[in-house]
């Protein structure tokens, strides 16, 4: 039993490292001349192709049973997912991997804020403390990049934040859709719609979709396979053997893993103020997630 749990821990950490490698793969593709919008388009296209056999051959009935409303929600969720990747991958070309990845993972903060503003949900102290730390960390990162990277870094940081907002919207829409769809049908429909929208955006904007070196194609393929197929599959498998809280904590290591890989591959180092903001933001996200779990548990107890 202990050995199985240890294996689950290791697989969860391996999944985190696979997802953390996504930013590196995107940067490598950009370095081979692949424009950011094309990186996003091919990432979702390869991911959709990877899950297509399972959905089309083993879950075809669920796809056929989708209603027009579900198809509309899938298109909407796909649009938010497409925007998320388009904005975040563009941010990687303008700011540091550390700043981009830590800012794009702030979605727990924004989801909690939506609950407060539109659903009249109350914040507990843990959630408030997390949001305060996350805000302080974000400001520290923005201020540090203002001096080290100039206007491009600031714009890149904003795009990463906008990517987090879009991912939050994707999660909120996807949660409603996922409740009535099987996982293969949900993933395939959303990934396919996101890929189609990004490919259309490339065609309309004149963004090249081919003509790169083999290294560029390899980076694009790894971008889809490592973070999506390997990383998220590892998370989903681990959830059957360890607590969701442990997996949630492990996900906070994604920006750390991306930053370490960026240091090894690109020689990127954290400045003092940037490192402080990095730590504060991670702590804030962790506290916000903990506060959200506490609030969910309190609502479940009240409903009994």
């Amino acid at each position: 039993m202990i050995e199985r749990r240890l294996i689950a821990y290791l697989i969860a950490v391996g999944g985190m490292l696979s997802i953390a490698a996504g930013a590196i793969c995107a940067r490598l593709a950009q370095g081979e001349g692949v424009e950011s919008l094309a990186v996003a388009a091919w990432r979702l296209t390869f991911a959709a192709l990877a899950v297509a056999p399972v959905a089309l051959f083993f879950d075809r009935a669920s796809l056929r049973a989708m209603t027009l409303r579900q198809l509309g929600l899938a298109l909407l969720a796909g649009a938010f997912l497409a925007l998320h990747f388009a904005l975040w991958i563009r941010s990687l070309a303008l700011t540091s991997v550390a700043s981009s990845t830590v800012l794009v993972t702030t979605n727990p903060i924004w989801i909690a804020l939506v609950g407060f503003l539109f659903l009249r949900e109350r914040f507990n102290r843990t959630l408030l403390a997390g949001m305060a730390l996350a805000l302080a960390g974000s400001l520290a990162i923005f201020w540090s990049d203002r001096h080290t990277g100039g206007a491009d870094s600031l714009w890149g940081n904003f795009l990463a934040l906008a990517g987090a907002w879009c991912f939050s919207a994707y999660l909120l829409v996807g949660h409603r859709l996922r409740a009535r769809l099987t996982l293969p049908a949900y993933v395939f429909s959303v990934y396919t719609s996101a890929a189609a929208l990004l490919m259309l955006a490339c065609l309309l904007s004149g963004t090249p979709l081919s003509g790169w070196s083999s290294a560029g194609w390899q980076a694009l393929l790894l971008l889809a396979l490592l973070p999506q197929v390997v990383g998220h599959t590892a998370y989903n498998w681990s959830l059957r053997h360890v607590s969701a809280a442990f997996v949630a904590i492990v996900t906070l290591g994604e920006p750390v893993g991306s930053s370490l890989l960026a240091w090894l591959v690109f020689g990127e180092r954290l400045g003092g103020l940037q490192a402080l903001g990095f730590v504060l933001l991670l702590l804030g996200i962790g506290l916000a997630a903990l506060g959200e779990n506490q609030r969910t548990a309190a609502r479940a107890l009240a409903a009994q």
Side-chain angles (χ1 to χ4, degrees), residues 12 24 55 64 68 70 85 112-115 119 126 128 135 152 167 190 229 240-241 254 264 268 276 294 300:
I24 309 304
R64 287 177 175 174
L68 286 177
Q70 288 173 333
F85 280 116
L113 191 59
V114 168
L119 303 179
T126 305
L128 283 172
L135 178 59
D152 283 347
F167 193 71
V190 172
V229 178
R240 295 178 60 90
H241 303 279
E254 293 170 16
L264 292 172
E268 286 189 4
L276 175 62
Q294 291 174 346

Side-chain angles (χ1 to χ4, degrees), residues 94-297:
L94 300 173
T95 190
S96 67
V97 169
S99 295
S100 177
T101 53
V102 76
L103 289 170
V104 83
T105 55
T106 55
N107 51 279
I109 306 297
W110 311 117
I111 290 176
L113 191 59
V114 168
F116 174 75
L117 293 176
F118 299 103
L119 303 179
R120 297 182 179 180
E121 296 179 346
R122 294 183 179 181
F123 288 169
N124 55 37
R125 292 180 179 179
T126 305
L127 187 53
L128 283 172
M131 294 184 72
L133 280 176
L135 178 59
S138 299
L139 290 175
I141 291 172
F142 270 93
W143 187 258
S144 67
D145 285 342
R146 176 176 176 268
H147 293 286
T148 58
D152 283 347
S153 289
L154 288 176
W155 181 238
N157 290 342
F158 174 77
L159 290 178
L161 266 183
W165 298 336
C166 290
F167 193 71
S168 299
Y170 158 71
L171 291 176
L172 291 170
V173 175
H175 177 71
R176 297 186 64 182
L177 179 62
R178 176 69 179 90
R180 301 195 177 188
L181 277 185
T182 60
L183 181 61
Y186 168 74
V187 170
F188 176 71
S189 59
V190 172
Y191 285 5
T192 300
S193 61
L197 289 171
L198 285 168
M199 284 291 182
L200 180 61
C202 287
L203 293 174
L204 292 177
S205 63
T207 302
L209 288 169
S210 61
W212 313 297
S213 64
S214 59
W217 284 110
Q218 290 168 10
L220 290 173
L221 188 59
L222 283 174
L223 179 61
L225 295 180
L226 274 179
Q228 198 63 45
V229 178
V230 175
H232 287 279
T233 299
Y235 278 172
N236 290 329
W237 184 88
S238 298
L239 281 171
R240 295 178 60 90
H241 303 279
V242 297
S243 68
F246 175 79
V247 176
I249 292 171
V250 168
T251 61
L252 295 180
E254 293 170 16
V256 179
S258 294
S259 300
L260 289 175
L261 290 172
W263 173 57
L264 292 172
V265 177
F266 304 119
E268 286 189 4
R269 296 178 182 272
L270 291 175
L273 187 58
Q274 186 186 28
L276 175 62
F278 191 90
V279 172
L280 288 175
L281 190 47
L282 281 178
L283 287 174
I285 294 170
L287 280 176
L290 178 61
E292 181 64 20
N293 287 337
Q294 291 174 346
R295 190 170 61 177
T296 301

